[in-house]
Amino acid sequence: MAIVENIQFIEKEISGKDVTLVAVSKTKPVEMLMQAYNAGFKRFGENYVQELVDKHESMPKDIEWHFIGHLQSNKVKYIASFVSLIHSVDSLKLLQEINKQATKNNRVIDCLLQIYIAEEDTKSGMTEEECLEILKAETLPNVRIVGLMGMTTLTDDETQIRREFKKLKDFYQTLTFNPQRLPHPSLTILSMGMSGDYVLAIEEGSNMIRVGSKIFGGRVYQK
Ligand SMILES: *Cc1c(COP(=O)(O)O)cnc(C)c1O
């Protein structure tokens, strides 16, 4: 598996565009991440708290760790001291816990609100209404909401995928172009697009892509 070549290929595709690549390394061993690291790539996305904690402990400390999976409130404390960006905030309760743990660690944690965009799937996330309520609520001093994240329906229907991306982009624009309405003028990240659909996502306005299998190869899950 030519990990470094795969990253270079994608970085070439996005060069000159305002797009950030997050290499999704869930289930992959440290040795594979180190291949990327040794070639100068230092931004990884993980889905599972324990796995992220283990990798953070055993790898160099200048890595930017993104948490992209479903996050349980009672596990925030394990990653709060070092996580760079949490993509998957899906409730006010979770955001409040992140704020609490960030305060304990004397830092501010950047977060994305995960918005439910899939038309026929069970992906997690919040509705646009819930998102607006959180953005209008009193700000929590130790979290910074810096953007939105979304995942499309698992389908081959390109028209549908585009439609779902576009819906999130439109919502994002209503927030970023009207910052005076909200106490959060700092929304600058739109995280959408994975291995199978990041090209479409970028065409529809994504500026952060989360690519796993196209870099590290397919994943085998154990039950
Ligand atoms: C696993 C995962 C990815 C990467 O998926 P690939 O299809 O392997 O690129 C991206 N985002 C989230 C939230 C994921 O869980």
Side-chain angles (χ1 to χ4, degrees):
M1 181 50 55
I3 293 166
V4 174
E5 284 81 357
N6 294 341
I7 289 178
Q8 284 166 347
F9 179 85
I10 297 168
E11 290 215 306
K12 203 163 164 195
E13 283 183 299
I14 64 178
S15 77
K17 298 184 177 126
D18 171 31
V19 178
T20 300
L21 170 63
V22 179
V24 175
S25 46
K26 63 185 177 209
T27 80
K28 299 298 177 183
V30 164
E31 298 73 56
M32 290 179 93
L33 282 70
M34 282 306 295
Q35 288 182 35
Y37 180 86
N38 288 330
F41 190 86
K42 301 179 181 183
R43 190 181 308 105
F44 298 100
E46 289 284 337
N47 283 57
Y48 309 103
V49 167
Q50 188 57 51
E51 185 179 346
L52 172 55
V53 168
D54 290 345
K55 284 175 174 169
H56 171 256
E57 272 173 18
S58 59
M59 290 183 67
K61 293 299 171 279
D62 61 342
I63 289 171
E64 197 183 295
W65 291 107
H66 291 224
F67 192 84
I68 64 171
H70 179 67
L71 182 56
Q72 288 171 272
S73 294
N74 62 353
K75 293 194 174 163
V76 174
K77 57 178 176 283
Y78 301 116
I79 61 171
S81 67
F82 66 89
V83 69
S84 287
L85 179 64
I86 299 175
H87 290 232
S88 43
V89 176
D90 58 1
S91 71
L92 180 58
K93 176 173 167 269
L94 177 59
L95 197 67
Q96 286 166 335
E97 178 64 18
I98 296 168
N99 181 63
K100 183 175 155 194
Q101 298 301 331
T103 308
K104 278 190 187 167
N105 285 278
N106 199 19
R107 63 188 295 248
V108 174
I109 297 180
D110 285 350
C111 295
L112 306 180
L113 299 182
Q114 183 174 353
I115 310 298
Y116 181 85
I117 53 171
E119 289 168 6
E120 41 189 66
D121 213 322
T122 53
K123 298 262 163 59
S124 54
M126 60 178 80
T127 62
E128 293 181 4
E129 291 70 33
E130 289 170 310
C131 173
L132 280 171
E133 269 173 37
I134 288 180
L135 289 174
K136 282 176 182 160
E138 199 184 334
T139 54
L140 300 164
N142 288 67
V143 292
R144 210 159 56 110
I145 298 170
V146 293
L148 305 179
M149 187 271 251
M151 286 169 88
T152 57
T153 305
L154 203 59
T155 172
D156 290 332
D157 183 347
E158 218 178 85
T159 315
Q160 182 181 347
I161 294 172
R162 269 191 200 281
R163 187 165 64 233
E164 293 177 2
F165 281 144
K166 186 172 184 308
K167 188 163 180 283
L168 185 58
K169 167 69 191 237
D170 288 347
F171 180 55
Y172 172 77
Q173 277 186 316
T174 66
L175 302 178
T176 52
F177 289 172
N178 299 290
Q180 67 280 2
R181 284 171 42 213
L182 303 162
H184 291 273
S186 54
L187 300 194
T188 56
I189 296 175
L190 183 56
S191 168
M192 53 185 204
M194 317 187 356
S195 291
D197 58 15
Y198 71 87
V199 175
L200 290 183
I202 292 168
E203 285 172 10
E204 298 301 334
S206 167
N207 62 20
M208 185 171 278
I209 56 175
R210 310 175 310 270
V211 181
S213 45
K214 205 169 174 209
I215 293 174
F216 295 104
R219 289 175 296 270
V220 182
Y221 288 99
Q222 287 137 357
K223 272 268 169 201

